[in-house]
């Protein structure tokens, strides 16, 4: 059975899906198989649409809708690969969606200020995440030659973004001011953000630690790499930039993903309710 799941994983990778998506799908298949063995004494090859529906219904009764929906997505992908058709699986209604969590203007300012005070490296990292919208993996994969800083313009070239897509992101004046000092001293180095002791490149864990330290200094909660990327995306939409342009800057393959930034945030909804008492 492991061979079958491994073959499925290889097929997903061949479609350009990210490692995290492949891991999520294969994880659901393993959990489905464990449930199937406990419930019916069968293995995955014997499963059919009825079994998949029963499993998703069982999940729906115990977990949040998004959990059951994730399992159903994985099982549909499996059946498409295995049988050439997607199983028809009913799923629960999703909870009302809000915009992704982003920092408000004051929190973003305090974090940028803390980064600049911390030093050129931290300022450059925060700028590329929050003022250019790079994924943390994209920022850490940058080489010095991928970033250009000129007097009136600048850019960062993401050579292998999600789905192996290349894109060029312009750097604003503020971003150039934060990235420039660090870039100036890295021109002859292998990586823009080196690892500890100059070996290899900075790890994702290392980036998380940098941000956690800066967030504590700035007294800002909810800081993680993707929150900074969301801050960039939400800021563009709030400024009236069209969704197709925002999608290009963020490297989104679907406008539906970008459209999340047009939804109200949890803070927007809370503020709306508060107005009832005024």
């Amino acid at each position: 059975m492991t061979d079958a799941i491994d073959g499925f994983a290889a097929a997903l990778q061949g479609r350009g899906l990210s490692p995290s998506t492949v891991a999520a799908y294969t994880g659901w298949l393993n959990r489905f198989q464990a449930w199937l063995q406990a419930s019916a004494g069968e293995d995955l090859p014997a499963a059919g649409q009825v079994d998949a529906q029963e499993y998703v219904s069982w999940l729906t009764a115990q977990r949040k809708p998004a959990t059951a929906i994730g399992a159903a997505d994985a099982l549909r992908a499996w059946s498409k690969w295995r049988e050439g058709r997607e199983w028809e699986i009913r799923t629960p209604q999703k909870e009302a969606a809000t915009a992704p969590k982003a920092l408000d203007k004051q929190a973003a300012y305090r974090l940028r200020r803390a980064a600049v005070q911390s030093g050129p490296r931290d300022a450059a990292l925060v700028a590329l995440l929050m003022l250019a919208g790079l994924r943390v993996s994209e920022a850490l994969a940058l080489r010095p030659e991928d970033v250009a800083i000129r007097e009136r313009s600048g850019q960062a070239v993401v050579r292998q973004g999600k789905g192996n897509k290349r894109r060029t992101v312009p750097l604003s004046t503020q971003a150039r001011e934060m990235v420039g000092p660090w870039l100036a001293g890295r021109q002859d180095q292998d990586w823009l953000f080196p690892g500890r002791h100059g070996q290899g490149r900075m790890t994702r864990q290392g980036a998380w630690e940098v941000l956690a330290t800066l967030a504590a200094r700035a007294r800002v909660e909810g800081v993680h790499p993707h929150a900074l990327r969301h801050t960039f995306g939400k800021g563009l939409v709030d400024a009236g930039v069209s969704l197709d342009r925002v999608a290009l800057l963020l490297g989104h393959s679907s406008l539906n993903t970008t459209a999340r930034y047009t939804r109200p945030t949890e803070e927007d909804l809370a503020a709306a309710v508060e107005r009832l008492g005024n």
Side-chain angles (χ1 to χ4, degrees):
M1 187 36 30
T2 300
D3 290 342
I5 295 180
D6 287 346
F8 175 59
L12 295 177
Q13 291 167 351
R15 287 169 46 194
L17 272 65
S18 69
S20 59
T21 299
V22 175
Y25 276 24
T26 55
W28 275 120
L29 282 178
N30 282 312
R31 288 188 285 275
F32 175 53
Q33 173 167 263
W35 174 88
L36 193 64
Q37 289 174 334
S39 301
E42 297 281 5
D43 286 325
L44 195 54
Q49 181 172 298
V50 172
D51 301 305
Q53 181 63 69
E54 187 66 22
Y55 177 59
V56 170
S57 297
W58 175 76
L59 279 176
T60 300
Q62 302 186 56
R63 309 285 291 275
K64 290 184 177 181
T67 300
I69 291 169
D73 285 344
L75 293 173
R76 291 190 190 102
W78 162 263
S79 62
K80 178 71 173 178
W81 175 73
R82 188 83 174 174
E83 302 178 4
R85 69 179 185 91
E86 287 189 358
W87 288 333
E88 295 181 8
I89 306 172
R90 298 184 306 279
T91 55
Q93 292 258 323
K94 285 186 178 180
E95 297 174 357
T98 57
K101 190 73 174 178
L103 303 185
D104 61 33
K105 290 184 178 180
Q106 187 58 229
Y109 162 72
R110 294 205 306 272
L111 187 67
R112 290 196 306 272
R113 188 171 185 272
V116 171
Q117 290 177 338
S118 179
R121 184 202 65 177
D122 294 356
L125 179 61
V126 168
L128 289 167
L129 298 177
M130 187 162 64
L131 301 179
L134 270 60
R135 300 176 177 90
V136 67
S137 58
E138 296 170 344
L140 299 182
L142 289 173
R143 297 182 182 273
E145 59 265 30
D146 295 331
V147 182
I149 302 289
R150 295 177 286 273
E151 183 179 355
R152 295 177 179 270
S153 64
Q155 64 185 34
V157 178
V158 177
R159 298 189 181 278
Q160 198 170 26
K162 192 172 183 179
N164 294 323
K165 293 181 180 177
R166 177 189 174 113
R167 73 182 188 282
T168 299
V169 183
L171 299 178
S172 66
T173 300
Q174 187 174 50
R176 298 196 301 274
E177 290 173 349
M178 292 177 69
V179 174
W182 179 247
L183 179 65
R186 301 296 310 167
Q187 295 295 353
D188 297 328
Q189 305 300 314
D190 291 333
W191 302 103
L192 183 61
F193 297 107
R196 290 177 178 171
H197 311 299
Q199 296 183 353
R201 63 188 187 189
M202 182 186 291
T203 63
R204 292 172 65 94
Q205 181 62 34
W208 273 80
E209 290 173 359
V210 168
L211 293 180
T213 300
L214 294 176
R217 291 177 185 170
R219 304 184 309 283
V220 178
E221 296 181 354
V223 173
H224 54 82
H226 235 58
L228 303 192
R229 176 172 159 85
H230 291 325
T231 301
F232 177 72
K234 186 74 164 60
L236 289 173
V237 170
D238 288 348
V241 178
S242 63
L243 288 183
D244 58 334
R245 292 183 180 181
V246 178
L248 285 173
L249 290 170
L250 289 171
H252 287 163
S253 58
S254 170
L255 283 181
N256 290 333
T257 304
T258 315
R260 297 178 302 165
Y261 297 113
T262 65
R263 301 168 184 158
T265 64
E266 293 180 2
E267 289 76 12
D268 293 333
L269 296 177
V273 173
E274 286 296 327
R275 294 194 192 103
L276 291 175
N278 297 332

